[in-house]
Amino acid sequence: MAKLKLNSLKKRKNKLADPKYQVEYLSNGIFKNGELPLFQHKIKSSGFTDFKPKPLEIFQINLGYMCNQVCTHCHVDAGPDRKEIMTKETMQLCLDVIEKSGAHTLDLTGGAPEMNPNFRWFVSEASKKGVKDFIVRSNLTIIRANKKYYDLPEFFKQHHVHVVSSMPHWTRGKTDRQRGEGVFNLSIEALKSLNDVGYGMPDSDLKLDLVYNPSGAFMPANQSDLEKDFKKALFEDFGIHFHNLMAITNLPISRFLDFLIASDNYEDYMTTLVESYNPLAVENVMCRNTLSVSWDGWLYDCDFNQMLELKVDGKSKHLKDFDLNSLQNRNIKVSQHCYGCTAGAGSSCQGTTT
Amino acid sequence: MSKSYYDPNDLKKFGEISEFQKELGDNFFHYYNSVFKEGALSAREKALIALAVAHTEQCPYCIDAYTKDSLQRGVTREEMMEAVHVGAAIKSGAALVHSTMMMNKVKKLEG
Ligand code: SF4
Ligand code: SF4
């Protein structure tokens, strides 16, 4: 088990554990005094007067904020102390809605979704719904955290799940600094066990992708350059294979926002994001084709808005009142954290967007 | 004139040097950008060379820019420091190798 240094903001009773405080913080200071434009105004100037979704493609379900890790930059503020996890009843509501939603991709996230006691039941049921791409976001270390998880690679294979895993770097030093001591070794073991059952192997249709996010207050470099470096290093040093690397920009919320403020990087980072604003990336930000569901069944434009408790606009706010028509006509709720999705090559759970 | 010779905000104004001499400025940036493109050397290797030279030139703007660029490219702390040591070794070696001139001169004058 990886050694944990950090506690969640919630456990530390940090002010930023309160989503309302975060939203306020992101609208004050440099954004209030006019030094930087509000996101809403910025997109308006690129022609987005109405910010509405395109047809729904991805249904992303957060099975809970419990996690075996406590990464320094986690946007979920996840950790072992977080008890918010989805019940079987809410999972049943999700199953009912998957077909109605018409989404071709189902994306399970957390926390560590595998820690939900009904995870396996839910995956088996959901895999019968006939979606084209069924993603589980696994932090890798969970696979080696306890004997009861050792067979997860086989389980994923059995349900033809597409595994997407976070891997901040190909060296131990950088990985452990960001995600906790011991995380690198466990992640390597987990990747090997996924490769062993066929995941990530060249020409294998068992998809294994990695997610990279920068280790500090800077943007990711070019996604395909990073992918080349990761592939070379992981194969040469450990004989590990994977398919694609997705480079994600850190959004200024939750523990990453806490880090930015505490390290006096907040203003510079926000300025970099605003200066790197790319109107082309707005077209494909993930809220435009995704719906995010929280552990308690509420609907959000994306996982980030979920963490800020910005529920979707309109009448259909919960799985119980799911109404695709009304959801398709909603206005997407934006704030200054959205600059993280539109900077540079754009960023989403599927990597760059341009 | 501001109170200090160096202002971090001036780094962002680098592109404005073309304002006083457009043609030469534009030529320089065309050359500069071509140099840093992936070629026989990767963009990552070039960032490390730039970082080492930034130190031997002791240019705060370049150190700022290429530290960030190296981090973005996944360069580790150890790699960055080793690159700086390479620069420092060449710089000190270049000073020391000149001591042969001093030694030659001493030997000539004193026999
Ligand atoms: S970043 Fe992922 S693995 Fe790390 S604490 Fe957050 S949810 Fe867990
Ligand atoms: S943070 Fe969410 S709402 Fe904002 S642009 Fe990104 S995906 Fe859309």
Side-chain angles (χ1 to χ4, degrees):
Chain A
M1 175 86 183
K3 238 194 259 165
L4 305 170
K5 280 192 307 223
L6 203 76
N7 280 318
S8 68
L9 296 172
K10 194 168 179 192
K11 190 157 187 184
R12 283 186 263 154
K13 299 199 167 41
N14 185 308
K15 270 201 278 187
L16 288 167
D18 175 8
K20 279 197 202 77
Y21 180 75
Q22 291 188 52
V23 175
E24 231 175 80
Y25 197 96
L26 288 164
S27 301
N28 285 336
I30 36 179
F31 291 101
K32 191 152 198 168
N33 68 21
E35 216 175 289
L36 295 177
L38 293 173
F39 186 77
Q40 196 185 350
H41 295 160
K42 190 81 183 174
I43 52 172
K44 212 170 191 174
S45 67
S46 339
F48 288 91
T49 25
D50 276 340
F51 200 42
K52 293 199 179 282
K54 301 188 213 176
L56 183 65
E57 294 181 270
I58 304 168
F59 199 59
Q60 189 175 59
I61 304 173
N62 194 313
L63 293 186
Y65 306 153
M66 187 183 279
C67 190
N68 59 321
Q69 292 185 186
V70 196
C71 306
T72 45
H73 299 153
C74 180
H75 78 270
V76 178
D77 194 26
D81 61 296
R82 298 298 302 261
K83 304 293 180 240
E84 303 91 329
I85 53 168
M86 192 176 272
T87 60
K88 205 166 176 181
E89 292 71 46
T90 308
M91 287 178 170
Q92 189 56 58
L93 290 175
C94 288
L95 292 171
D96 298 342
V97 161
I98 292 168
E99 273 162 291
K100 274 195 238 167
S101 78
H104 57 61
T105 298
L106 185 61
D107 185 341
L108 303 190
T109 186
E114 302 93 329
M115 288 177 89
N116 187 307
N118 295 307
F119 172 74
R120 294 190 191 220
W121 171 80
F122 185 58
V123 169
S124 323
E125 291 304 308
S127 64
K128 295 177 197 153
K129 297 288 172 191
V131 287
K132 262 203 277 173
D133 191 10
F134 187 1
I135 297 171
V136 172
R137 293 186 188 262
S138 174
N139 69 20
L140 293 177
T141 60
I142 190 71
I143 298 178
R144 305 304 301 167
N146 187 304
K147 269 198 188 126
K148 66 177 176 185
Y149 299 122
Y150 285 5
D151 67 333
L152 275 170
E154 273 298 340
F155 174 78
F156 290 147
K157 180 179 179 175
Q158 197 185 329
H159 296 282
H160 214 81
V161 157
H162 169 180
V163 178
V164 175
S165 291
S166 20
M167 190 77 194
H169 202 258
W170 56 85
T171 62
R172 180 174 299 116
K174 265 178 116 74
T175 303
D176 288 0
R177 221 173 2 255
Q178 185 174 340
R179 294 175 83 80
E181 208 183 307
V183 165
F184 183 76
N185 286 350
L186 289 177
S187 304
I188 293 294
E189 279 177 32
L191 285 172
K192 284 186 178 159
S193 67
L194 285 160
N195 278 174
D196 284 347
V197 300
Y199 270 103
M201 300 309 280
D203 302 324
S204 167
D205 62 352
L206 294 169
K207 296 281 287 170
L208 171 63
D209 295 334
L210 297 185
V211 172
Y212 158 87
N213 66 308
S215 58
F218 50 90
M219 306 228 324
N222 178 286
Q223 182 169 272
S224 60
D225 288 352
L226 284 167
E227 183 179 283
K228 266 189 247 156
D229 290 335
F230 264 89
K231 282 204 163 154
K232 188 166 179 283
L234 287 179
F235 183 70
E236 281 177 5
D237 296 348
F238 306 102
I240 285 170
H241 291 278
F242 68 94
H243 291 133
N244 301 305
L245 181 89
M246 306 170 186
I248 291 188
T249 303
N250 287 313
L251 259 69
I253 66 168
S254 197
R255 292 213 283 267
F256 190 64
L257 179 59
D258 178 50
F259 158 77
L260 288 176
I261 298 170
S263 58
D264 199 20
N265 275 307
Y266 173 73
E267 292 193 359
D268 282 350
Y269 189 70
M270 293 312 287
T271 307
T272 304
L273 292 185
V274 174
E275 283 174 352
S276 321
Y277 173 80
N278 176 358
L280 291 177
V282 185
E283 192 58 44
N284 298 321
V285 282
M286 71 189 164
C287 50
R288 303 201 66 204
N289 68 349
T290 305
L291 257 184
S292 150
V293 187
S294 61
W295 63 279
D296 47 358
W298 295 97
L299 302 171
Y300 300 85
D301 301 300
C302 67
D303 204 49
F304 304 112
N305 280 8
Q306 178 181 148
M307 300 315 147
L308 294 175
E309 287 183 4
L310 300 169
K311 293 189 179 108
V312 284
D313 213 16
K315 278 185 288 189
S316 180
K317 284 190 188 317
H318 194 273
L319 286 173
K320 283 184 189 146
D321 325 296
F322 189 87
D323 175 0
L324 190 57
N325 237 343
S326 134
L327 284 163
Q328 287 301 125
N329 285 312
R330 76 191 193 275
N331 285 311
I332 294 166
K333 287 192 179 163
V334 295
S335 179
Q336 285 45 264
H337 63 295
C338 297
Y339 277 116
C341 295
T342 55
S347 176
S348 77
C349 287
Q350 268 66 40
T352 57
T353 54
T354 55
Chain B
M1 193 75 193
S2 65
K3 283 264 161 31
S4 91
Y5 284 114
Y6 285 119
D7 177 351
N9 284 321
D10 284 347
L11 177 56
K12 288 185 202 139
K13 298 185 195 155
F14 189 18
E16 294 172 19
I17 62 152
S18 302
E19 189 183 324
F20 285 7
Q21 221 300 357
K22 188 159 170 21
E23 191 188 344
L24 295 179
D26 288 353
N27 284 346
F28 166 75
F29 282 114
H30 179 70
Y31 167 70
Y32 189 91
N33 291 330
S34 313
V35 165
F36 280 96
K37 277 200 190 118
E38 187 113 10
L41 291 177
S42 68
R44 191 169 182 274
E45 287 163 333
K46 288 180 182 181
L48 270 174
I49 296 172
L51 183 70
V53 178
H55 281 78
T56 58
E57 292 297 312
Q58 295 175 337
C59 169
Y61 300 116
C62 307
I63 294 174
D64 183 337
Y66 285 98
T67 300
K68 206 166 174 183
D69 189 57
S70 300
L71 282 172
Q72 287 178 336
R73 297 184 188 286
V75 177
T76 65
R77 294 175 182 203
E78 294 77 10
E79 288 171 318
M80 280 190 246
M81 191 51 102
E82 280 186 27
V84 174
H85 275 294
V86 171
I90 294 295
K91 191 104 178 159
S92 54
L96 286 172
V97 74
H98 282 78
S99 67
T100 56
M101 282 171 78
M102 172 271 284
M103 291 166 78
N104 288 344
K105 186 82 181 173
V106 167
K107 285 177 185 162
K108 181 164 185 228
L109 293 178
E110 290 189 340

